[in-house]
Amino acid sequence: MSTTTARPGTTDTAALRTGSRPKRHYGTHIFLTVMAVMWLIPLGWSLYTALRPVASTNQYGYFSFAGDFNFGNFAQAWTQGGFATYFWNSVIITVPAVLLTLFLASLMAFAVSRVSWKFNVTLLIMFTAGNLLPPQVLAAPLFEMAKHFEVPYSFSDSGNMLNTYIIVIAVNTAFQMGFCTFVLSNYMKALSADLTEAALVDGAGIWRQYREIIMPLCRPAFAALGTLQVIFIYNDYFWPLIFIQSGNRLPITTAINNLQGEFLSNYNLLAAGAVITVIPTLVIYLLLQRQFVAGLTLGSSKG
């Protein structure tokens, strides 16, 4: 009587192969597709409206494809709105604010995540809790502080901190530090403690550990946070409008007001101005897209 012996593990392997097909998340894909289309519709409609002359819109209506398409609205919006000056103002505000925010937040995150002392959790909670305050609540106190903070007239033509770029940079830095500290501290906690311990044995001080070990490893997180901070601060409309009273120092988010007519508004021109303001942040995101995604996902599975 002959018996046939199956190879050990053959059936299990086949079963595993049969049951290892990845699940197709159709619901998730449909949901993400719908959300992406909903987010892109306003941008696409603004671009479509900006490419149409107002004469074509008046003749055929906004919901039509007839008429001419050109870049005349963009050229008119750029010159009439003074976008060159306002864009440079945004650069003066955004670049120092982002660099200061990332630098100060990295120092604080390093202190609460890589240095053992009894106020780690307390300080982290304080910095995080600051984000729970709505900015509008602090608008009046901050305005009064800037108004009564006297400086030489050679520094400010108002004799105080109002109507200066510095007050806008300082307030944006203060409000964004809590979020950046929270993200960077969690990212630094995910890094192996053996790195800094080995450096400490080799005689590296705290500043050298921060500068030469932790900072290079945090580049993906800095790229992700830098992209977000540029978008947040560049698009900020509230704080510049409160602290800056001179029209030639306002950022680009306020330049669209110059395109408003006294009795009639050209919405094609306004759409062109809105698209112009979006282009810099869109370019920055596309350039740093890979680092942005890496910074958000690396270390997400570690405690």
Side-chain angles (χ1 to χ4, degrees), residues 78 83 86-95 97-98 172 176 226-238 240 251-254 273-282 284:
W78 182 267
F83 276 83
Y86 288 98
F87 177 73
W88 180 245
N89 293 340
S90 292
V91 172
I92 294 175
I93 294 173
T94 303
V95 173
V98 171
N172 276 308
Q176 298 299 331
T227 305
L228 287 175
Q229 292 305 306
V230 167
I231 295 173
F232 292 160
I233 298 175
Y234 175 88
N235 290 328
D236 180 48
Y237 181 81
F238 182 69
I252 197 171
T253 49
T254 62
V275 172
I276 291 175
T277 61
V278 170
I279 290 176
T281 54
L282 186 61
I284 291 174

Side-chain angles (χ1 to χ4, degrees), residues 56-96:
S56 298
T57 302
N58 293 335
Q59 181 178 359
Y60 300 103
Y62 283 97
F63 300 96
S64 66
F65 294 94
D68 299 329
F69 292 88
N70 53 54
F71 293 95
N73 288 323
F74 291 94
Q76 183 180 351
W78 182 267
T79 55
Q80 180 178 331
F83 276 83
T85 301
Y86 288 98
F87 177 73
W88 180 245
N89 293 340
S90 292
V91 172
I92 294 175
I93 294 173
T94 303
V95 173

Side-chain angles (χ1 to χ4, degrees), residues 285-298:
Y285 175 76
L286 293 176
L287 291 176
L288 299 177
Q289 182 180 9
R290 180 176 299 179
Q291 291 83 356
F292 177 78
V293 175
L296 294 180
T297 55
L298 284 179

Side-chain angles (χ1 to χ4, degrees), residues 13 50 92 101 106 124 154 193 199 232 254 256 264 266 270 272 278-279:
T13 304
I92 294 175
T101 301
S106 67
L124 184 58
S154 58
F232 292 160
T254 62
I256 299 180
L264 184 65
N266 184 347
L270 291 172
V278 170
I279 290 176

